[in-house]
Amino acid sequence: MKEKILIIEDEKELISGLKLNLEFESYEVISALDGEEGLTKALKEAPDLILLDIMLPKKDGLDVCRELRQQNVTTPIIMLTAKGEEVDKVVGLELGADDYITKPFSLKELLARIKAHLRRGKREKKAAPSVYHFNDIEIDFIHFKIFRDGKEFDLTSLEVEILKHFVAYRGEVVSREDLLDQIWGHEKYPSTRTIDNHILKLRKKLEDDPTKSKYIFSVYGEGYRFMGGL
Ligand code: CA
């Protein structure tokens, strides 16, 4: 699956140049021309990395960065700073940006930074704990149970594996292909409908109202996003 990069930048020419080069490097590229649109896309489209300009219409890059981190979005953020924005650069790092690059920058350097941050992002995925609490729910991975509303629900081993994966990647889109690879492995390849059936059963155990999911969201055309504890 292609890694997705969101460019939040108000210089259209810079966007189109970057888009061309990043797509050539096999990344999927989406973009936003102002801070508000950027924040919305960062939250809804689950990019793997964000290139964030500082001086932006509607909402500046520093506010976008702050709001993303406040919402527990851990996506790597590389700020694009202009000369003379040294102070903003420091503030950006304090607000949770991972890196910055000063315009005008070399494409080679930007690509190297992007690759490094995407690699780091993958390494830092947290392992699932033996018990995971959020709101009034407890998932017990050792005893294969969910406790919710004073009720106890048994989990199958497949459901436990799916939940472990969701918890490790919470807040991010998990594709059906990821689940197939990680949980079923390459040998047994069930249909994606099989996965959807397992998710349906999980929702019944996890959600007050399985038709209005609060924790396992469907992301159209992509997969699922688990938001328990976020
Ligand atoms: Ca700008």
Side-chain angles (χ1 to χ4, degrees), residues 130-131 138-147 152-155 160:
S130 52
V131 176
E138 181 181 315
I139 305 174
D140 183 338
F141 291 113
I142 307 279
H143 301 100
F144 287 27
K145 286 187 188 304
I146 285 176
F147 299 94
E152 189 180 316
F153 302 87
D154 289 320
L155 294 167
V160 166

Side-chain angles (χ1 to χ4, degrees), residues 8-11 53-57 80 82 85 103:
I8 310 176
E9 165 64 70
D10 58 333
E11 288 169 53
D53 186 27
I54 291 186
M55 294 291 281
L56 287 167
L80 307 175
E85 291 179 345
K103 293 186 223 173

Side-chain angles (χ1 to χ4, degrees), residues 6 12 49 86 93 114 180:
L6 168 62
K12 284 184 185 159
L49 184 137
E86 273 76 16
L93 293 175
I114 287 173
L180 284 170

Side-chain angles (χ1 to χ4, degrees), residues 53-55 62 80-91 100-104:
D53 186 27
I54 291 186
M55 294 291 281
L62 297 175
L80 307 175
T81 66
K83 277 212 173 75
E85 291 179 345
E86 273 76 16
V87 176
D88 293 341
K89 180 167 85 189
V90 174
V91 175
Y100 61 86
I101 191 161
T102 308
K103 293 186 223 173

Side-chain angles (χ1 to χ4, degrees), residues 7 9 11-20 31-33:
I7 308 173
E9 165 64 70
E11 288 169 53
K12 284 184 185 159
E13 281 168 25
L14 184 54
I15 291 186
S16 49
L18 282 175
K19 191 167 155 56
L20 203 68
S31 60
L33 288 164

Side-chain angles (χ1 to χ4, degrees), residues 33-83:
L33 288 164
D34 65 65
E36 280 178 11
E37 187 194 357
L39 186 63
T40 307
K41 286 196 172 167
L43 292 169
K44 288 206 173 142
E45 307 251 355
D48 297 291
L49 184 137
I50 299 168
L51 297 177
L52 178 60
D53 186 27
I54 291 186
M55 294 291 281
L56 287 167
K58 294 189 184 169
K59 192 186 279 288
D60 74 33
L62 297 175
D63 284 334
V64 173
C65 182
R66 181 190 296 116
E67 287 180 39
L68 286 174
R69 293 310 186 224
Q70 278 171 354
Q71 300 202 38
N72 292 318
V73 175
T74 57
T75 312
I77 296 175
I78 302 177
M79 289 191 308
L80 307 175
T81 66
K83 277 212 173 75

Side-chain angles (χ1 to χ4, degrees), residues 105-122:
F105 45 80
S106 84
L107 185 68
K108 206 175 147 196
E109 192 186 350
L110 180 66
L111 286 174
R113 304 263 185 109
I114 287 173
K115 283 198 183 110
H117 285 287
L118 285 172
R119 267 202 310 272
R120 182 190 56 81
K122 277 193 192 125

